[in-house]
Amino acid sequence: MSVAVSNALSPAVAGAGRGGGVNDFSITVATVNGSGSQTANNTLLRAIHRMGAPVSGKNIFPSNIQGLPTWFTIRVNRDGFLARCDETQILVAMNKATILEDIQKLQPGGICLYPGEEELPNRRDDVTFYPMPVNEVVQQSGAETRLKPYVANMAYVGTLAYLLGIDLKEIEAALAHNLNGKEKAIALNLGAAKAAYEWAGEHLAKTDPFRIERMDKTDGTFLITGNSGAALGAVFGGVQFVGWYPITPATSLVDSLKEYLRELRCDADGKATYSIVQTEDELAAIGMVIGAGWAGARSMTSTSGPGLSLMAEFAGYAYFAEIPAVIWDVQRMGPATGLPTRVAQGDVLPAYTLGHGDGRHVCLIPASVAECFEFGGTALDLAERLQTLVIVLSDLDLGTNLWPTPPFEYPDKPIDRGKVLTAEDLTRLEGKWQRYADVDGDGIGYRTLPGTNHPAAGYFTRGTGHNEAAAYSERPEEWSANLARLARKHDHARSIVPAPVIELAGEAEVGIISYGSNDLAVQEARVSLEAAGVPTSYLRVRALPLEQRLADFLGNHERVYVVENNLEGQMHQLVQLHDPAGAGRVVSIAKCDGLPLTARWISASILDQEAKEKA
Amino acid sequence: MTDNAAQGSTACNLLGLSRTDYNGAKSTLCNGCGHNSIANVIIGAAYDLSLDPTRIAKFSGIGCSSKSPTYFLGRSHSINGLHGRMPSLATGATTVNRELVAIGVSGDGDTGSIGFGQFKHLLRRNVDMVYIIENNGVYGLTKGQLSATADLGQKLKHAGVNELPPLDFCLEAIIAGCGFVARSFAGDPKQLQELIKAAFSHRGTAVLNVISPCVSFNNGEGSTKSYSWGKEHDLPLHEIDFLPMEHDEILADYDPGTIREVALHDGSVIRLKKTDREYDPTDRMAAIKLLEEERSGGMFTTGLLYVDEGRQTFADHERLVPGSLVNLPNEKLRPSKEALDKINGKYR
Ligand SMILES: Cc1ncc(C[n+]2csc(CCOP(=O)(O)OP(=O)(O)O)c2C)c(N)n1
Ligand code: SF4
């Protein structure tokens, strides 16, 4: 959880998010995909962050390389409410194709910036229109054709900076960060932004209330994507092997891994302590990861729904053959290829039960970039400790958008390699060991790694039936004993996976269960629910299997709403299965439209249910 | 056929191990299955070469053939994976541990159908391993379906007539850039053993396409994967002797014109004694031509079809630290706190 957000949980700010004016509004930048607006949008975002005002950005883009509409929404909120909100007060209308619709969506009293050279159809009386000097800025800049779209985007950066009072120095610093210190590019873009800023100063009379004022609410935090956080976490978690196949929105996780590993994990003469392999498909990606995990390397892949489906057979195999491996599933909207550039939490049930036959996978569910970082290492530790597949359920919103985060904390626990017997151990044991014997009562056997120099080290790994000595077996009693031990191991996992985060609100009757990137929206919804007379407790699930605290939480509340971003209420189903006794108290609040949940929708849905309850 | 029965000898190899130390569990394959002969030959090759069983890693997919690693080298680690996915497992494991001596066993269904993509990509990467395809032209474990190497027009009891042309693993391997391609026959253990020994010394993927009769489903009249057909039609390209690294034999016994030697990267030598055919196993086009010509003929050539020691292995491409990744201590895996502070600072 970012510092900026957790500071803000006071009921006093119940009216937050209404777009009041100073450090409290939302901007929608409507552009065309492939027009290079990302630099401009991230520059605005970073500049506002640098001014100390809590801010978040969400890229709502099509599955297309060039030409389709894209919206980037920026929410500034002095109280730290940074979930997506539907209401927009400021529109930057760079896309002719959607301008009519975009203007209709503005809140009354909002403002619209449009390229000055264009005729504006259908003006609304309750919206202020400001032209932007797009053509002039492009012309003046003398930019070569290839760069003109970027420069055009700087026109809205400069105009907005003037209208909102964003310091040009912060725009410059943000640009320097986004353009990786490349001086020529910085100069070109900054020049364009400045030109627009000055033009606006001469030509526009500001009549709206929207302003950025300096605050100190972002001190110590920085903006970074969940995928970058995850990659860094894995790097500091000691990842050694990565097998992967490109898929949105998981690709940038591996891009970051490559960048950080190259920087941090090569020896003096540039030789790598890791290997990254781009494979022919996801079957090969997970196969290599499991092969490397079997051989004793800390191994992971990153994928999204369609790739996860292809990994299913190997997932079941890893569970039963007890091989450590990690899959980061950066969820996108299914079903099938679905909406590949939109978010959902639709892989909860499929991931938990991925494979054939019985078996439940340990799943970790990060809710913030800091948790992505933390779980980057935790997942590798748990995989080796439990000798099993661990699936991390991130999503497109968390993974690919920029989020404010406090500095990453250096892992306080040493790397955990789990139960591995060395040649010396085997000598001590006089060669007497059994791969699948439950020596410690936690369901986890001891393994040896290929290449261990002891005549008793070798054992046979298979997905087919086996006994404690790893010999092939179809005997019913050995088969069921093995499955029972695996169930015991899963139970043990319950006690060592990240615990849920629970916030109890006094004697509240109503509880909320949620997880992952919904967190900020839930926290904001709780504030308005309390203001509406419905105080709530909150349990944020951070891992599967679910554990006892969840059952206690159900027991302590009259009604518990499970809030999630999918159609089927997948966590709702798991919660009911976990605690059949409490199942009757649990209500599903689920929605799936390709966008991150909003606080308004959550609180309205819960109030609706509460009204029915009281009726 | 006896399945890996001890040879009843007290002899030892250079490691001081007896041949029985290379045995596996008792085979549960059908009596007479070609796969059993091949398992025995692998045992013999590893014993003869004095390979350290604890350094060997065995890989396989799914099928009768893929079960067979259970029946040889019982002291080695082994992973019996998924149908057709052995190449990816082997790629991952050998990349992170370059000291492993890797041997994979697969079937024609495992390699030629469900796993064909992974097979081709394994070769493209040139993963350092011995890859034996126990080719019986049929799916044994699922009881007699036609496989992708069944002959055109071949008739099987339940599966009916095959109307599609067969895949040729040797051609596919050569085209994919494989640097060691051999064909052999489970009924010719002498040749096979020399080829397997040579394959262990090759750097990169060594593919052995071994005709391995399925006595239960494809050993009948008209099958080109049967024992009798193999015996009658096997046309060795050459007589093969493998001379390991420390060999000190001299060529004096031979007429120099009839011998060809191929040096492998570790100093060992494959000695090929000419038959009445002219053949240069380092000539890629000649290998392709030979295999193309055979498609129509009724013979099958065995021996070392193609060898090229020049290609880098997959692990070489990766530019990894010396030694193996799996042996790195934890300190090498987690960067320092200062490194993290620097990153935190950079983003701020
Ligand atoms: C994904 C999957 N599909 C199907 C099977 C069933 N299956 C097991 S073995 C086999 C064919 C094996 O044939 P081959 O590789 O030629 O080996 P052989 O038994 O002839 O040695 C099949 C289809 C499986 N195990 N997994
Ligand atoms: S069915 Fe065929 S391939 Fe399988 S064990 Fe029997 S003979 Fe061998």
Side-chain angles (χ1 to χ4, degrees):
Chain A
M1 186 50 39
S2 82
V3 167
V5 170
S6 48
N7 281 347
L9 278 178
S10 118
V13 290
R18 296 284 152 78
V22 177
N23 293 353
D24 183 14
F25 49 82
S26 285
I27 307 171
T28 294
V29 181
T31 53
V32 174
N33 201 26
S35 62
S37 56
Q38 201 181 336
T39 310
N41 297 334
N42 286 344
T43 297
L44 278 172
L45 199 65
R46 281 191 195 285
I48 296 170
H49 181 84
R50 295 181 66 87
M51 301 263 305
V55 62
S56 66
K58 302 211 182 290
N59 193 9
I60 297 163
F61 62 109
S63 176
N64 161 267
I65 302 300
Q66 213 169 43
L68 289 180
T70 296
W71 295 271
F72 191 84
T73 65
I74 295 173
R75 182 174 182 190
V76 186
N77 185 279
R78 61 173 168 259
D79 299 309
F81 292 115
L82 294 180
R84 189 181 76 84
C85 68
D86 276 323
E87 300 80 14
T88 291
Q89 290 80 29
I90 300 176
L91 169 68
V92 178
M94 296 291 282
N95 185 3
K96 261 193 231 171
T98 59
I99 193 166
L100 278 179
E101 216 184 310
D102 292 336
I103 290 173
Q104 285 318 311
K105 285 190 189 146
L106 271 174
Q107 292 285 103
I111 68 174
C112 169
L113 282 68
Y114 64 99
E117 55 280 3
E118 272 164 36
E119 252 331 284
L120 254 195
N122 191 24
R123 283 176 180 264
R124 267 174 61 177
D125 299 340
D126 55 353
V127 165
T128 310
F129 287 85
Y130 296 109
M132 297 182 289
V134 179
N135 269 356
E136 287 96 308
V137 165
V138 172
Q139 236 97 83
Q140 269 174 35
S141 73
E144 53 182 290
T145 315
R146 188 173 56 86
L147 297 175
K148 279 183 177 157
Y150 297 88
V151 172
N153 292 328
M154 283 300 137
Y156 70 71
V157 172
T159 312
L160 257 187
Y162 172 77
L163 286 171
L164 299 179
I166 302 172
D167 196 331
L168 272 182
K169 276 208 187 67
E170 303 299 8
I171 297 280
E172 181 173 1
L175 265 174
H177 187 281
N178 289 337
L179 297 172
N180 244 329
K182 288 186 209 110
E183 293 198 0
K184 247 176 91 182
I186 297 169
L188 178 72
N189 283 284
L190 184 64
K194 265 189 180 150
Y197 188 98
E198 278 155 18
W199 183 96
E202 281 164 32
H203 296 87
L204 301 182
K206 184 173 164 76
T207 57
D208 64 82
F210 304 109
R211 261 182 313 118
I212 298 287
E213 270 175 16
R214 278 199 186 270
M215 300 176 82
D216 58 3
K217 281 284 189 75
T218 64
D219 284 5
T221 70
F222 55 84
L223 294 170
I224 187 168
T225 66
N227 280 353
S228 294
L232 263 175
V235 171
F236 281 85
V239 68
Q240 292 170 289
F241 184 87
V242 183
W244 74 291
Y245 190 77
I247 186 168
T248 304
T251 300
S252 62
L253 201 162
V254 176
D255 289 342
S256 299
L257 270 173
K258 283 188 201 160
E259 184 188 326
Y260 297 129
L261 282 169
R262 202 184 305 124
E263 182 182 333
L264 297 167
R265 289 274 302 280
C266 288
D267 69 6
D269 43 356
K271 297 276 174 59
T273 60
Y274 61 88
S275 166
I276 301 184
V277 183
Q278 184 185 323
T279 62
E280 57 270 33
D281 55 29
E282 285 88 348
L283 298 163
I286 187 67
M288 287 188 200
V289 164
I290 288 173
W294 175 74
R298 287 163 84 81
S299 307
M300 65 178 277
T301 182
S302 100
T303 190
S304 194
L308 190 73
S309 300
L310 287 186
M311 294 179 183
E313 193 189 6
F314 256 129
Y317 177 84
Y319 177 85
F320 195 60
E322 304 185 59
I323 301 174
V326 171
I327 301 175
W328 274 80
D329 175 17
V330 189
Q331 298 169 93
R332 66 191 210 183
M333 166 86 153
T337 42
L339 293 175
T341 58
R342 302 294 167 89
V343 74
Q345 296 173 314
D347 296 348
V348 175
L349 279 176
Y352 191 43
T353 60
L354 195 67
H356 46 286
D358 289 307
R360 295 283 179 272
H361 299 294
V362 170
C363 296
L364 307 184
I365 316 179
S368 64
V369 178
E371 266 180 4
C372 285
F373 177 83
E374 183 189 335
F375 291 177
T378 308
L380 293 165
D381 280 344
L382 285 173
E384 289 203 317
R385 167 60 40 193
L386 294 163
Q387 298 173 12
T388 197
L389 173 68
V390 172
I391 302 176
V392 189
L393 292 168
S394 178
D395 66 41
L396 179 141
D397 183 25
L398 179 57
T400 62
N401 286 317
L402 290 168
W403 298 66
T405 187
F408 296 127
E409 280 175 35
Y410 197 71
D412 52 0
K413 280 193 273 190
I415 286 177
D416 181 3
R417 305 307 304 258
K419 301 185 190 180
V420 177
L421 296 175
T422 61
E424 295 73 56
D425 295 331
L426 291 174
T427 303
R428 193 170 35 77
L429 294 166
E430 292 167 351
K432 291 192 190 72
W433 74 289
Q434 292 191 305
R435 168 68 181 95
Y436 298 112
D438 186 4
V439 180
D440 304 323
D442 54 10
I444 309 166
Y446 284 78
R447 62 176 183 144
T448 56
L449 304 181
T452 302
N453 186 17
H454 189 285
Y459 72 95
F460 202 99
T461 306
R462 43 166 70 84
T464 37
H466 44 260
N467 61 20
E468 288 191 338
Y472 185 80
S473 169
E474 295 184 8
R475 298 166 77 97
E477 63 277 14
E478 289 187 324
W479 182 259
S480 59
N482 200 29
L483 291 181
R485 181 182 52 78
L486 285 166
R488 215 150 58 233
K489 183 162 96 168
H490 191 67
D491 257 340
H492 174 67
R494 234 182 266 289
S495 66
I496 61 171
V497 296
V501 174
I502 302 173
E503 289 171 35
L504 293 175
E507 302 287 287
E509 275 178 28
V510 174
I512 296 177
I513 292 175
S514 194
Y515 57 94
S517 63
N518 308 330
D519 185 42
L520 296 188
V522 172
Q523 300 214 41
E524 185 179 347
R526 289 180 64 212
V527 174
S528 23
L529 282 166
E530 169 145 26
V534 183
T536 57
S537 298
Y538 176 29
L539 182 147
R540 179 163 67 80
V541 174
R542 298 202 300 162
L544 300 174
L546 298 170
E547 41 100 282
Q548 183 55 38
R549 268 164 285 198
L550 186 116
D552 299 342
F553 187 83
L554 294 188
N556 290 335
H557 295 89
E558 296 295 321
R559 289 170 302 287
V560 174
Y561 295 98
V562 183
V563 176
E564 56 196 312
N565 195 344
N566 56 49
L567 192 69
E568 309 261 333
Q570 297 187 11
M571 184 65 78
H572 171 245
Q573 295 179 38
L574 285 180
V575 167
Q576 288 188 315
L577 280 177
H578 177 72
D579 183 25
R585 305 158 186 258
V586 197
V587 182
S588 173
I589 301 288
K591 175 178 177 169
C592 187
D593 61 1
L595 299 171
L597 300 182
T598 65
R600 190 178 291 271
W601 176 80
I602 296 170
S603 54
S605 304
I606 290 177
L607 286 176
D608 222 35
Q609 281 293 332
E610 284 292 295
K612 279 188 202 143
E613 204 59 48
K614 304 267 156 63
Chain B
M1 190 160 299
T2 54
D3 300 314
N4 308 339
Q7 303 288 297
S9 132
T10 50
C12 283
N13 64 11
L14 294 175
L15 290 180
L17 296 174
S18 72
R19 198 176 187 282
T20 52
D21 291 327
Y22 289 82
N23 282 355
K26 190 177 156 6
S27 173
T28 60
L29 300 177
C30 302
N31 231 330
C33 175
H35 305 348
N36 283 331
S37 320
I38 298 171
N40 269 323
V41 174
I42 294 170
I43 292 170
Y47 169 75
D48 273 7
L49 289 174
S50 298
L51 293 181
D52 178 355
T54 66
R55 276 190 56 204
I56 297 176
K58 302 176 284 179
F59 298 88
S60 62
I62 299 288
C64 296
S65 36
S66 294
K67 281 184 175 189
S68 69
T70 322
Y71 317 130
F72 59 83
L73 304 180
R75 287 192 183 181
S76 304
H77 275 80
S78 193
I79 182 163
N80 180 199
L82 299 181
H83 198 19
R85 315 296 171 212
M86 178 256 273
S88 56
L89 289 169
T91 306
T94 56
T95 302
V96 298
N97 188 342
R98 284 181 288 176
E99 284 131 75
L100 293 177
V101 175
I103 176 167
V105 174
S106 173
D108 42 306
D110 197 66
T111 286
S113 293
I114 193 167
F116 200 49
Q118 293 213 344
F119 174 62
K120 294 288 275 195
H121 284 278
L122 177 91
L123 299 175
R124 193 176 147 250
R125 295 192 176 98
N126 203 24
V127 171
D128 192 12
M129 74 182 295
V130 178
Y131 190 115
I132 297 176
I133 308 161
E134 302 185 338
N135 186 351
N136 54 18
V138 76
Y139 287 11
L141 194 57
T142 49
K143 300 199 169 178
Q145 296 81 12
L146 289 161
S147 90
T149 62
D151 293 304
L152 192 61
Q154 198 199 338
K155 210 168 165 183
L156 284 182
K157 200 160 153 208
H158 296 294
V161 179
N162 176 36
E163 293 178 342
L164 298 173
L167 277 179
D168 184 329
F169 292 130
C170 293
L171 255 183
E172 296 291 348
I174 293 171
I175 291 167
C178 181
F180 186 110
V181 182
R183 184 154 59 190
S184 192
F185 174 44
D188 184 357
K190 189 173 167 295
Q191 182 200 50
L192 181 57
Q193 182 153 325
E194 295 307 294
L195 282 170
I196 292 177
K197 286 196 228 165
F200 273 122
S201 279
H202 173 71
R203 235 163 55 112
T205 319
V207 168
L208 289 97
N209 177 13
V210 186
I211 303 304
S212 177
C214 169
V215 292
S216 294
F217 299 110
N218 195 14
N219 196 31
E221 194 84 352
S223 165
T224 63
K225 309 288 187 296
S226 69
Y227 278 115
S228 56
W229 199 92
K231 288 225 161 74
E232 282 159 28
H233 296 80
D234 182 357
L235 241 192
L237 270 175
H238 30 233
E239 261 176 53
I240 299 181
D241 282 309
F242 176 75
L243 311 179
M245 228 171 0
E246 50 287 308
H247 67 99
D248 50 7
E249 290 175 50
I250 349 159
L251 285 176
D253 300 353
Y254 298 99
D255 167 3
T258 65
I259 293 289
R260 187 189 173 95
E261 295 204 332
V262 180
L264 298 176
H265 81 103
D266 63 358
S268 57
V269 166
I270 306 170
R271 181 179 296 165
L272 305 169
K273 203 163 122 205
K274 236 199 219 167
T275 57
D276 46 0
R277 291 157 84 184
E278 278 300 328
Y279 191 73
D280 175 4
T282 63
D283 182 343
R284 191 160 182 255
M285 292 314 287
I288 294 174
K289 188 156 169 274
L290 175 92
L291 290 164
E292 280 295 346
E293 281 166 6
E294 271 198 4
R295 273 184 194 271
S296 46
M299 305 306 270
F300 86 104
T301 302
T302 57
L304 182 60
L305 297 173
Y306 180 60
V307 64
D308 167 15
E309 282 286 282
R311 262 190 85 191
Q312 279 204 318
T313 67
F314 185 60
D316 293 338
H317 281 291
E318 292 290 285
R319 286 179 203 89
L320 307 177
V321 288
S324 282
L325 295 186
V326 290
N327 294 329
L328 292 171
N330 288 351
E331 306 84 78
K332 287 263 184 203
L333 302 183
R334 173 170 287 168
S336 66
K337 180 163 188 315
E338 291 65 42
L340 186 61
D341 290 344
K342 213 172 119 194
I343 285 172
N344 280 326
K346 189 177 93 184
Y347 277 99
R348 243 189 263 173

